[in-house]
Amino acid sequence: MRKLLYMLFCALMVIPNAFALDLSLNEAVDKIVAESNDVKKADANVQKARAQLKSVNANRWMSVEGTVSYMNLVDPKHPTSSKGVEIPSEIGALLNKSLPVPLGEIPDNIFAAGVQVTQPIYTFGKIGNAVDAMHDAIDMSKSAKDLTLREVKYAAADLYWTAKMTDEIVAASEKNLNNARAARKKLTAAGRANRSNLIKIESDIATKEIDLSDAKFNRDVAYSMLKIMAGIDETEDVVLTDSFPNEFEALDVKELKSNPQWDIYQKQIKMYESNASSKRAGGYPTLAAVAAYDYYSLGTGMGNIFAKEGSQSAYWGVALKVPLFTGGLHSANATIEAMNAEAAHQELDKSKKLIRHEYNTAVNKYKHLCDDLGKLNEAHRLAQKAYDVSVNRFAAGQTSAIELSDVSSALYRMDMAVLNAKYNILMAGESVKKLGE
């Protein structure tokens, strides 16, 4: 019966984890990328640039404008009169041949409708360069999205390994606390507990309980942030399935020749140069084909405005629009864009130096930390051996609680050093991945 109750108790302890969400590094990265507001904003900027291209490209095609109007003339002397405006008979005689109204009256109702078509033929680069600039803007927004994706993936990996490290810190803190409690048990069981040893061990236990409490708090904070960024309900249990590796492979690195940040500056330079050409061409003529059709009808009342056939007119032709004087506007705007291009050139040169340095530093740091990890593992092995010896000496009454505490603290520090080294190696690798091609 007792065995059955024990098995039932164990099953109940396992059930909560059975419903926990297993989360690997790749799954966490995918979830965080899918939830990232920065990635969504970058994607919106790509769509915005494409819409801007359509807006600029629309200037290539014909524009059609239609106008419909109705007007009622009012005699200022008799604004409430429904008759047409009275005019002298001698003026009316002159208008009698052209106006389809009785002599002496001006139509008080006028209806007009028309349509005008304009098709640019040649703009000396105003439209073409503006379109080229928007193509570069689209490429620039795509590179910005790529850069954002890399930053988000790096941050996601950092969140994952930080949360995993807090798990390891909690485990190490629990082990450290249990070692202290075991030492107290051995001391009291041997019947040789002196006051100084007991005080030292009790002090160590209190300190290590605080360390464990802090470690659990930091773990909860790290998991909470991971869940928020990955879009996981904060009440859901999560189990991180990837563990810190014991060995690390050498990086397959090449000379850094491209980077999304460089692509952004390169496209930005081209965009500014195209904009400069477009602004400069604003001072050149514009050749366009034009055509129009107009219809209008006049009457002395609303009812007879269409009583008689109205007048029609139409034309087509070619127009050359020449800006004669703009006060240097186009030249100044072109200079502004050219200086923007020069500034982008300088930013590109600076970025190449800094990112190459950051990339090479990350590569060297990865190699350096991998070399140090072997030495740290050996130091950890010796610290563990020293602790085991000290525990045996303490159990035999050959050493004090102070020495045991010092050795135990040294072992805990080595646990943290190895864990921190592994974390730094992983993040150095992520830096190389973020900055590389």
Side-chain angles (χ1 to χ4, degrees), residues 51-121:
Q52 289 173 330
L53 172 62
K54 291 181 180 180
S55 175
V56 174
N57 207 32
N59 294 322
R60 291 180 181 271
W61 319 122
M62 68 174 64
S63 63
V64 181
E65 295 182 356
T67 304
V68 178
S69 65
Y70 166 76
M71 293 178 289
N72 179 255
L73 302 181
V74 178
D75 185 353
K77 294 182 180 180
H78 307 286
T80 60
S81 174
S82 61
K83 295 182 179 181
V85 180
E86 298 289 338
I87 63 173
S89 58
E90 61 273 13
I91 297 178
L94 295 174
L95 300 174
N96 188 39
K97 296 182 180 180
S98 58
L99 291 175
V101 294
L103 180 65
E105 291 185 350
I106 292 179
D108 61 355
N109 289 271
I110 303 174
F111 172 81
V115 61
Q116 184 174 8
V117 181
T118 303
Q119 170 63 58
I121 297 176

Side-chain angles (χ1 to χ4, degrees), residues 1 39 54 62 160 207-208 239 252 254 264 297-298 304 314 360 376 404:
M1 183 65 180
V39 173
K54 291 181 180 180
M62 68 174 64
Y160 188 92
T207 301
K208 291 173 182 179
V239 175
D252 182 18
K254 301 177 182 178
I264 291 173
S297 177
L298 303 91
N304 66 357
N360 292 331
L376 278 174
L404 180 62

Side-chain angles (χ1 to χ4, degrees), residues 346-403:
Q346 300 304 321
E347 290 295 332
L348 175 60
D349 291 341
K350 178 182 176 182
S351 178
K352 284 183 175 181
K353 295 175 183 176
L354 293 178
I355 290 180
R356 281 200 177 102
H357 174 73
E358 187 178 355
Y359 176 78
N360 292 331
T361 299
V363 172
N364 294 331
K365 182 178 181 180
Y366 184 92
K367 295 177 181 178
H368 171 72
L369 291 175
C370 285
D371 292 338
D372 282 354
L373 182 61
K375 300 173 184 176
L376 278 174
N377 284 330
E378 177 62 18
H380 182 272
R381 186 186 68 80
L382 294 174
Q384 181 67 53
K385 184 176 180 180
Y387 175 76
D388 294 339
V389 171
S390 183
V391 166
N392 293 332
R393 283 166 51 82
F394 183 76
Q398 298 174 353
T399 188
S400 67
I402 296 176
E403 178 186 332

